[in-house]
Amino acid sequence: MDYITAIVLALVQGITEFLPVSSQAHLVLAGAWLGDIYQGLDFDVILHAGSLVAVVFYFRQEIFAMLRDWTGSLAGKGHTKDSKLGWWIIIGTIPAGALGILFKDLAENEWRSVAVMAAALIVFGILLGIADWKGRGTRDEYSLTLKDVLIIGFAQALALIPGTSRSGITMTAALFLGMSREAAARFSFLLSIPVIAAAGLLYTLELVQKGTTTSWGTLLVGFVVAVVSTYACIHYFLAFIRRIGMQPFVIYRIILGLLLLAVVW
């Protein structure tokens, strides 16, 4: 893999990881456009590591407050809104983790087809549009209840279906529950941290067994580009949805899904 290819794939990962448009579908499309290139497990791991570093750095103040108060709650110091949010993120991660283990092979093989991606882009895109149009609530992430968190958590598990978009489906569920656009996005991003970290750990263990195939220079370039592009994407996305909402992403998903179906048929 040359440096230009690495930069293109890292940009695709960084820009689409937290947009409600499915980063997985875009990486598959980018690989096909670049000549049916497979980026390799090591490069995939480094790109997700870059996205993880970016989201943790962006929400570093919130994460510090959650960790401080969450550990305090374990020590018997009582609960605060931040310790409660920390527990919600842990609980909300469990459904995706459990179902991810059960359906890992299906998600990586049988479901990984252009037709499935196209259908998921369209169907879940329409749901996002309905949620954004009907929801427009005012609740923030600190108002969530256990029931709300479980609903969002099980919604996150649907992202096992390629083309769904993890951020898209969690934002959709949050909007249906009456959260504001910004709060839905913030909780979705925070909820992604354990999932990305756990997936990265599993793939790293697999990578240790198989060994790396990509040069360290290419991996470094991919990591840096993924960090910068992911951070910028989070920042501008939050500002964008505050003013305009989710509808442009809904339209984009439907058009992309229809184009993919046209290719398949």
Side-chain angles (χ1 to χ4, degrees), residues 154-234:
F154 277 102
Q156 180 171 232
L158 290 173
L160 288 167
I161 303 171
T164 299
S165 171
R166 191 212 59 80
S167 60
I169 195 63
T170 51
M171 289 182 209
T172 298
L175 288 169
F176 272 125
L177 291 170
M179 294 181 72
S180 68
R181 291 165 175 163
E182 301 96 305
R186 285 195 303 269
F187 187 70
S188 172
F189 296 159
L190 290 170
L191 194 60
S192 74
I193 294 173
V195 173
I196 296 175
L201 178 60
L202 288 175
Y203 285 124
T204 299
L205 293 175
E206 185 178 341
L207 184 61
V208 169
Q209 296 176 341
K210 294 182 177 180
T212 60
T213 57
T214 307
S215 71
W216 287 105
T218 304
L219 292 175
L220 178 60
V221 168
F223 177 78
V224 172
V225 173
V227 170
V228 174
S229 57
T230 300
Y231 187 93
C233 178
I234 294 172

Side-chain angles (χ1 to χ4, degrees), residues 64-82:
F64 174 78
M66 281 190 294
L67 287 174
R68 179 197 62 208
D69 290 6
W70 180 78
T71 54
S73 71
L74 292 178
K77 295 182 178 179
H79 284 287
T80 67
K81 65 175 186 177
D82 287 307

Side-chain angles (χ1 to χ4, degrees), residues 12 48 71-72 86 89 92 111 116 118 123 133 140-141 146 167 182 217 221:
V12 171
H48 281 85
T71 54
I89 290 173
W111 295 347
V116 170
V123 172
W133 176 61
D140 64 16
E141 58 269 40
L146 176 60
S167 60
E182 301 96 305
V221 168

Side-chain angles (χ1 to χ4, degrees), residues 20-22 25-26 29 114-131 163-165 246-263 265:
V21 295
S22 176
H26 283 78
L29 289 172
V114 175
V116 170
M117 286 184 186
L121 280 166
I122 295 171
V123 172
F124 292 113
I126 292 172
L127 279 177
L128 175 62
I130 295 172
T164 299
S165 171
M246 303 289 188
Q247 299 309 317
F249 301 104
V250 173
I251 295 170
Y252 175 79
R253 287 181 64 116
I254 293 173
I255 292 174
L256 180 59
L258 291 173
L259 288 174
L260 288 176
L261 286 177
V263 170
W265 291 337

